[in-house]
């Protein structure tokens, strides 16, 4: 196994408490002790943007996670108990939501057949015709996507959803809870009473 070699060193004005590399781009996200979230290029450490702490979002960053396509960064804040989703192109919140407890862990994953507990459903035959009546055909001019995305913020919605593949933002806290959000926005599961046992 080849040894690691240091290729550079960079001094920053604030202590870095969290960092996360983008899964698809040459970017690294940093959160510092002052509550600022920074995005830098890895090659030359050029700052792409910085998001200063505010009373609306919070000041105590406790976790960072990249959406699997690398286009959105999520971070959790302990003081306001909020999750913020940011676009990598500009330092602004695309979506935010509150959680009941402080987040200490965050991971964003793509749900595939291989990684899903729903594998048996993927492989099962469609038996809906045995249980449900046949639905009438929709008119040819009916488009559900046109109806959903005809609102003002359709670009933001498309950016938040990303590609068509299901992805899940998994949040965890030291009090033993796990929450799972489809596309980082829609809560689909809560698990409580999880205990970590170290051997």
């Amino acid at each position: 196994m080849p040894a690691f070699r240091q290729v550079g060193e960079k001094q920053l004005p604030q202590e870095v408490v969290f960092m996360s590399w983008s899964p698809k781009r040459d970017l690294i996200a940093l959160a510092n002790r002052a509550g600022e979230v920074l995005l830098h290029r890895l090659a030359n450490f050029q700052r792409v943007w910085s998001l200063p702490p505010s009373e609306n979002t919070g000041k105590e960053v406790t976790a960072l996670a990249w959406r699997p396509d690398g286009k959105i960064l999520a971070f959790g804040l302990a003081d306001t108990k909020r999750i913020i989703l940011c676009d990598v192109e500009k330092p602004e919140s695309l979506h935010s939501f509150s959680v009941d407890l402080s987040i200490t862990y965050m991971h964003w994953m793509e749900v595939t057949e291989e990684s899903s507990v729903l594998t048996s459903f993927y492989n099962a035959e469609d038996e809906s015709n045995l249980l449900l009546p046949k639905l009438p055909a929709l008119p040819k001019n009916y488009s559900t996507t046109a109806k959903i995305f005809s609102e003002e913020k359709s670009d933001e919605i498309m950016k938040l959803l990303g590609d068509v593949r299901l992805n899940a933002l998994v949040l965890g806290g030291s009090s033993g809870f796990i929450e799972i959000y489809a596309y980082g926005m829609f809560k689909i599961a809560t698990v409580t009473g999880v205990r970590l046992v170290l051997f």
Side-chain angles (χ1 to χ4, degrees):
M1 176 189 254
F4 287 101
R5 180 175 64 87
Q6 182 175 335
V7 294
E9 184 176 316
K10 190 69 174 173
Q11 296 292 321
L12 297 170
Q14 295 284 333
E15 178 185 355
V16 173
V17 290
F18 293 99
M19 73 167 116
S20 181
W21 289 7
S22 169
K24 299 286 185 186
R25 299 177 180 193
D26 69 330
L27 299 171
I28 187 165
L30 309 168
N32 63 29
R33 183 88 44 212
E36 184 178 27
V37 176
L38 308 142
L39 195 61
H40 285 268
R41 294 233 173 259
L42 281 172
N44 55 9
F45 215 70
Q46 174 188 1
R47 184 179 292 180
V48 177
W49 55 252
S50 69
L51 186 65
S54 74
E55 291 186 20
N56 293 337
T57 58
K59 298 178 182 177
E60 190 182 336
V61 179
T62 57
L64 295 169
W66 288 93
R67 190 169 72 182
D69 66 3
K71 294 180 180 177
I72 293 184
L73 175 69
F75 59 95
L77 297 145
D79 50 344
T80 58
K81 295 180 183 155
R82 295 197 63 75
I83 305 301
I84 311 293
L85 306 183
C86 277
D87 182 2
V88 296
E89 302 295 326
K90 50 189 171 225
E92 64 183 35
S93 171
L94 292 173
H95 181 71
S96 68
F97 58 92
S98 295
V99 290
D100 294 330
L101 300 165
S102 292
I103 299 299
T104 56
Y105 174 80
M106 184 181 284
H107 178 72
W108 209 332
M109 61 183 279
E110 185 174 304
V111 180
T112 61
E113 288 184 38
E114 296 80 30
S115 70
S116 175
V117 293
L118 303 175
T119 301
S120 60
F121 290 108
Y122 285 116
N123 298 330
E125 290 183 33
D126 182 12
E127 298 175 350
S128 62
N129 60 344
L130 301 174
L131 305 170
L132 301 170
K134 185 173 169 87
L135 294 173
L138 294 172
K140 290 183 181 185
N141 62 353
Y142 184 82
S143 169
T144 56
T145 55
K147 245 184 169 180
I148 293 170
F149 297 119
S150 63
E151 299 173 9
E152 287 179 13
K153 294 192 173 188
S154 62
D155 290 341
E156 286 88 356
I157 292 169
M158 290 303 291
K159 190 173 283 194
L160 282 168
L161 291 178
D163 55 19
V164 180
R165 293 187 182 111
L166 174 63
N167 58 70
L169 179 62
V170 181
L171 309 175
S174 58
S175 60
F177 78 96
I178 297 170
E179 292 183 344
I180 303 172
Y181 290 80
Y183 300 103
M185 297 184 296
F186 309 107
K187 187 192 288 189
I188 57 173
T190 300
V191 180
T192 57
V194 177
R195 287 183 351 144
L196 176 65
V197 179
L198 299 175
F199 294 97

